[in-house]
Amino acid sequence: VVMALLPARKYTEGRVEYALRSLSLSPRPMTVVLIGSTGNGKSTLGNFLLDPSEEHTLDDPTFEPGKTNKPETKYVTVASEGDLTVVDTPGLNESEHEDFKHMTAIVKQLNELQSISACILCVKFDSKIDSQYKTTVEYYKRLLPQLFENNVLVVFTNYCTDEKSKFQRKRQNICEERGVENMLREVCKGLLYRPAYFLIDALPFDEEDCSLHEATRSSILEFTRKLKPVCIHKSLKVLKTPAVVAEDRMKIEYVRGEIKGYEEAIQILKGQKKEVIGQMTSDQLLLSDAKRRLEKLDSTDLETTEVWDINEEWKWFKTQSKEFMVKSEWPIADYKWWDNGKIAEKQVKRVGKYSISIAIKGEFMTRLQAKLTVQVKKCDKYEEEIKETKEKILALKRLSTEYEETLKDLETEIFKLDSHISERSARIRKLEEGSMTVEEAEERLKKLYL
């Protein structure tokens, strides 16, 4: 997209004189934007506003007027003469993509301006206000809402005042006032006020017409000077065309489908997370039980494991002796002996780690009562169970670590999916916006024209 900022033209003697006169009458710079669909005389009016001399409007025009129904202004063109800057805009009634390109160029150029004094709606006199024109005006109304509040004027172009044209209108029974009112009503739909309007022929036929329309030109400029300019520097965005809106709706549907897929994936992951947490909780209970069991078993506390006793009445007429061997499955840590005091002699001694020998002697007619309690360490007695419990604890700890890693992975995936949803939600909000920055519009244009 090309923005044309036209270089200063060479001044003839007449132009210098006119420029000096304009400067003396124009203390405050002003900028006007010409708006209208193709064929409504924007470029011709722009030339006339800048310099109404024939050598300018006919021989060396700043803006090239259209010679057919096809638009001559293909780019946003800006030109200045004295205190007046005119922005000539292309018509917005070509293809959707071309219109979008023009809109981007228009906004880019307007953003370079400090302010705009007025929007001039150009309407060819005695023409029909078609849907394309209404679409163009509606676009600018959305683009420049502050200007459309107070700074709009309507100029009916191609209003010829030569005798032949007057005769033709009379012959065709064209009522100027009624025609203007009807067109003004159509053009200004949606405005909260009735804008000022002017009728002008920017290519007058003779000297009398020139004087008349130059006076109208002066009235237009004088009216514009009285308006309070609206500051817009770098604040405008490109409004989306219906085609771009339709394309963005399709993108929104696609992105919503992505979001739905991500949400379903999150639900699956949350279900898996719930299962892992449930299993992890169950294993934590098993781990706690195993630790308590280990603490109880893996101890040097003593526990009775074997009991030997004797309760006999010896009736023999002589002293008798007996020997016994008490064995244990586990290393004997300690033992306790008890008797009723009737044993004449006793000998209790360890035999290795796992046995105790007992030798006793008893007198005639004596009841012998004795008891040996063998004690072992718990850590010895429950060695196998302790080993199994330790292995179980290690396995449960490994599982706990695996669960934690699995939960971390699941949470990472859920976070990623949530991030994707947030990104796509932001993208939807962006796509739902009715406008975009110039940079975004230019990126869109690159893709359209690839």
Side-chain angles (χ1 to χ4, degrees):
V1 178
V2 178
M3 265 66 69
L5 185 58
L6 298 181
R9 295 178 284 102
K10 292 182 179 179
Y11 284 95
T12 62
E13 185 176 348
R15 288 185 180 178
V16 171
E17 181 183 353
Y18 182 80
L20 290 172
R21 188 172 79 247
S22 298
L23 284 170
S24 66
L25 295 173
S26 316
R28 186 176 67 183
M30 58 184 177
T31 300
V32 297
V33 179
L34 305 179
I35 297 172
S37 55
T38 301
N40 277 276
K42 297 188 300 296
S43 299
T44 304
L45 176 63
N47 290 326
F48 195 70
L49 291 176
L50 288 170
D51 179 356
S53 65
E54 287 187 5
E55 57 187 356
H56 172 228
T57 57
L58 295 176
D59 301 333
D60 186 19
T62 302
F63 306 119
E64 192 64 36
K67 298 178 177 62
T68 64
N69 288 331
K70 293 184 178 180
E72 189 66 36
T73 303
K74 296 183 178 179
Y75 314 110
V76 181
T77 313
V78 180
S80 298
E81 190 81 50
D83 68 326
L84 176 65
T85 298
V86 177
V87 181
D88 188 15
T89 62
L92 300 180
N93 48 7
E94 297 186 58
S95 68
E96 286 278 6
H97 289 168
E98 284 299 305
D99 281 352
F100 185 60
K101 180 171 72 173
H102 292 331
M103 289 173 181
T104 304
I106 291 166
V107 173
K108 187 172 184 179
Q109 188 61 64
L110 292 180
N111 275 337
E112 295 302 316
L113 303 173
Q114 293 295 330
S115 62
I116 298 176
S117 301
C119 285
I120 298 179
L121 304 183
C122 301
V123 186
K124 189 175 180 180
F125 179 73
D126 198 28
S127 64
K128 292 184 178 181
I129 307 301
D130 56 16
S131 60
Q132 292 175 335
Y133 192 98
K134 293 176 183 177
T135 300
T136 300
V137 173
E138 184 60 30
Y139 172 78
Y140 281 98
K141 191 161 62 175
R142 291 168 55 212
L143 178 66
L144 303 165
Q146 288 179 297
L147 276 167
F148 271 75
E149 285 179 5
N150 295 296
N151 296 49
V152 171
L153 56 147
V154 180
V155 174
F156 293 99
T157 62
N158 202 34
Y159 178 69
C160 301
T161 54
D162 59 277
E163 293 301 323
K164 183 179 179 181
S165 299
K166 289 179 180 179
F167 177 76
Q168 288 291 344
R169 286 197 291 272
K170 186 175 181 180
R171 188 174 183 180
Q172 294 172 13
N173 198 27
I174 296 174
C175 178
E176 294 179 9
E177 291 184 5
R178 186 168 59 250
V180 168
E181 284 298 323
N182 290 337
M183 287 189 289
L184 198 61
R185 193 179 302 112
E186 287 295 319
V187 170
C188 301
K189 277 185 177 179
L191 292 180
L192 300 178
Y193 62 98
R194 178 187 173 90
Y197 71 90
F198 302 86
L199 293 93
I200 198 168
D201 182 7
L203 292 173
F205 182 72
D206 55 30
E207 187 174 344
E208 183 180 349
D209 290 337
C210 287
S211 298
L212 174 64
H213 294 295
E214 282 187 28
T216 304
R217 169 191 175 277
S218 297
S219 297
I220 293 171
L221 296 179
E222 195 60 38
F223 180 85
T224 303
R225 285 191 187 97
K226 294 177 181 178
L227 298 174
K228 183 180 179 181
V230 174
C231 295
I232 59 164
H233 187 55
K234 300 187 184 302
S235 64
L236 299 180
K237 289 188 175 183
V238 182
L239 300 180
K240 296 179 180 178
T241 62
V244 173
V245 171
E247 183 181 333
D248 285 351
R249 282 175 182 164
M250 292 178 64
K251 290 180 180 177
I252 287 170
E253 289 304 312
Y254 178 79
V255 175
R256 281 177 177 159
E258 287 186 316
I259 289 176
K260 184 178 180 181
Y262 292 141
E263 288 174 341
E264 290 174 353
I266 285 175
Q267 291 305 313
I268 292 172
L269 292 174
K270 284 184 175 179
Q272 294 175 354
K273 182 179 175 182
K274 186 177 180 181
E275 290 179 7
V276 172
I277 291 174
Q279 190 61 51
M280 189 176 182
T281 303
S282 176
D283 286 359
Q284 285 291 342
L285 293 174
L286 293 176
L287 180 62
S288 298
D289 290 343
K291 285 181 177 180
R292 284 195 294 271
R293 181 66 177 165
L294 180 64
E295 186 179 357
K296 184 178 180 180
L297 298 180
D298 195 8
S299 166
T300 56
D301 293 346
L302 299 180
E303 186 174 289
T304 300
T305 182
E306 298 289 342
V307 176
W308 171 88
D309 61 358
I310 185 171
N311 186 9
E312 295 181 4
E313 186 177 353
W314 288 8
K315 298 181 179 181
W316 292 274
F317 292 98
K318 62 179 180 178
T319 301
Q320 294 189 40
S321 64
K322 283 188 176 183
E323 293 183 357
F324 305 92
M325 182 69 71
V326 180
K327 294 183 178 181
S328 171
E329 294 183 36
W330 306 280
I332 297 172
D334 196 6
Y335 62 87
K336 293 181 179 180
W337 174 267
W338 172 85
D339 61 58
N340 60 356
K342 301 300 183 180
I343 296 176
E345 293 182 19
K346 70 175 187 295
Q347 186 177 16
V348 181
K349 65 178 181 179
R350 294 175 185 250
V351 181
K353 291 182 178 182
Y354 299 93
S355 302
I356 294 177
S357 65
I358 303 171
I360 60 174
K361 287 184 180 181
E363 299 293 339
F364 169 68
M365 297 296 288
T366 302
R367 175 172 289 277
L368 299 180
Q369 292 179 321
K371 185 177 182 180
L372 180 74
T373 303
V374 177
Q375 294 180 318
V376 299
K377 294 178 180 179
K378 285 186 176 181
C379 57
D380 291 333
K381 181 178 180 180
Y382 301 106
E383 182 180 3
E384 288 299 321
E385 188 176 347
I386 289 170
K387 182 179 178 182
E388 291 175 1
T389 303
K390 285 182 176 179
E391 289 175 353
K392 183 178 181 180
I393 289 172
L394 287 174
L396 289 171
K397 284 183 176 180
R398 282 195 297 269
L399 280 175
S400 179
T401 302
E402 290 175 6
Y403 291 144
E404 288 173 358
E405 290 175 354
T406 300
L407 284 176
K408 187 177 179 180
D409 291 341
L410 289 171
E411 287 168 357
T412 300
E413 286 301 312
I414 290 172
F415 178 78
K416 286 180 181 178
L417 292 173
D418 278 331
S419 298
H420 291 327
I421 289 174
S422 297
E423 290 170 2
R424 273 129 182 100
S425 297
R427 187 180 177 193
I428 286 176
R429 289 193 295 273
K430 192 71 177 175
L431 289 169
E432 288 176 336
E433 290 179 0
S435 61
M436 63 183 78
T437 64
V438 171
E439 293 74 20
E440 291 168 342
E442 288 177 336
E443 284 298 317
R444 180 71 70 92
L445 284 170
K446 287 179 184 178
K447 294 176 182 178
L448 288 176
Y449 287 95
L450 284 178

